Amino acid sequence: MRPSLTLLLSSLLFTSAANADELRERANAIFKPIPDKVTEVRGQKVSEDQAVLGHKLWFDPRLSSSHVISCNTCHNLSIGGSDNVPTSIGHGWQKGPRNSPTVLNAVFNAAQFWDGRAKDLQEQAKGPVQASVEMNSTPERVVSTLKSIPAYAAEFKKAFPKDKDPVSFDNMAYALEAFEVTLTTPNSPFDRFLKGEDKALDDKQKQGLALFMDAGCSACHNGVNLGGQGYFPFGVIKRPGAEVLPVGDKGRFAVTNTASDEYVFRAAPLRNVALTPPYFHSGEVWELEEAVAIMGDSQLGRQLNKDEVSAITAFLHSVTGEQPQVDYPILPASTATTPKPE
């Protein structure tokens, strides 16, 4: 296939530092680099003691009633913060209804879950623990479990010194949020380009960046996280087939009960997207190139040709950042009063 006129023009655009500066200036008006460290959430300083506690809770399967499923089961930090299957396997081998979104950089999202039903990470942390299809536990069982383990009781007291009863379901969620705040991926090639390093992106990636902006992708996928800030219908121009957009999942409609929110979803954050197949809330698309083509057709009404898809995909590979280095913690032992697995 012959290169498109857009790509031919784009290839000429990046032959000088001045043109790279122009591209960078345009990009910096739409996107922002990931900061090296996040120190506050909702205006409050993140406590290191709370993050250390949250680190342990993240990997503790005893938060689930089966003692089998932890947060890391469906949001595996070694493979991009998701689980690389269409929908996660939860309690009793049940399959969840939607693809598991990555937790990496989730602190930058305006809301959590595909439908935005949780306003922040603390609220989000409570959902999977209680969902019957996921961890299938209750606040009472979680608190009973944590209080039965003296080492946890001591760590909660240290992390929440002002609380009379520090071991609580709310504090569990807050500690998990404090840990998740650390799960950012700075210094991607794209971030380095935004900061002034011309050679951080190759010419094809620069072409893809220009196309990403010019074709309209950045209208929904913008900001620090290249998405995660707004809600849009899946199928603005043309609704994809039922295998990609199941008719039974009406997205944000289940949250707002507003007809205009049928098949509306939060714009997926695209940071590290190359690490987190399969794609979309249905998890039915395994190749990033195919996902790009579907979005062009469904959201932009544009049949991207092979070269355009390839260039945009190359750009999306450039937004993979430095992955957080997280040790697997040694968890405190259960006691005779710890609730048994169900």
Side-chain angles (χ1 to χ4, degrees), residues 51-254:
V52 168
L53 173 59
H55 175 206
K56 291 183 178 178
L57 295 174
W58 181 266
F59 288 94
D60 200 325
R62 291 168 296 187
L63 296 183
S64 70
S65 64
S66 65
H67 289 204
V68 171
I69 301 169
S70 71
C71 301
N72 199 63
T73 302
C74 300
H75 301 285
N76 194 319
L77 301 181
S78 65
I79 51 173
S82 60
D83 56 9
N84 295 164
V85 295
T87 57
S88 301
I89 305 297
H91 184 78
W93 295 99
Q94 298 177 87
K95 287 187 177 182
R98 292 176 182 158
N99 181 256
S100 177
T102 180
V103 293
L104 301 183
N105 305 306
V107 66
F108 302 121
N109 296 332
Q112 306 300 325
F113 296 116
W114 282 99
D115 53 20
R117 64 185 182 274
K119 68 180 183 294
D120 53 39
L121 287 169
Q122 183 184 12
E123 184 175 318
Q124 184 276 332
K126 299 177 182 179
V129 174
Q130 300 177 81
S132 61
V133 74
E134 297 183 61
M135 298 171 81
N136 192 45
S137 193
T138 65
E140 295 76 19
R141 181 183 172 90
V142 167
V143 170
S144 178
T145 297
L146 296 171
K147 284 186 172 181
S148 76
I149 302 172
Y152 267 143
E155 289 200 46
F156 269 89
K157 185 175 182 179
K158 183 180 180 182
F160 301 96
K162 296 180 181 180
D163 290 14
K164 291 182 179 179
D165 188 11
V167 183
S168 69
F169 194 65
D170 282 347
N171 284 349
M172 174 218 70
Y174 197 93
L176 284 170
E177 178 182 50
F179 172 63
E180 288 188 72
V181 165
T182 70
L183 303 179
T184 59
T185 62
N187 298 320
S188 70
F190 178 54
D191 288 327
R192 300 201 308 272
F193 175 76
L194 290 177
K195 293 177 181 179
E197 187 180 330
D198 285 351
K199 294 183 179 180
L201 300 185
D202 62 28
D203 284 349
K204 186 173 183 180
Q205 289 170 329
K206 290 174 183 175
Q207 293 163 16
L209 169 58
L211 278 167
F212 192 85
M213 294 186 290
D214 293 340
C217 308
S218 60
C220 301
H221 299 283
N222 48 52
V224 173
N225 222 7
L226 278 74
Q229 301 302 308
Y231 305 96
F232 303 91
F234 194 172
V236 172
I237 305 299
K238 177 183 175 183
R239 185 171 292 179
E243 72 281 359
V244 174
L245 182 64
V247 295
D249 186 349
K250 294 188 178 182
R252 192 157 170 77
F253 173 79

Side-chain angles (χ1 to χ4, degrees), residues 285-301:
V285 175
W286 284 92
E287 299 299 329
L288 186 54
E289 290 85 352
E290 182 182 357
V292 169
I294 289 172
M295 292 300 283
D297 189 28
S298 298
Q299 302 302 99
L300 306 174

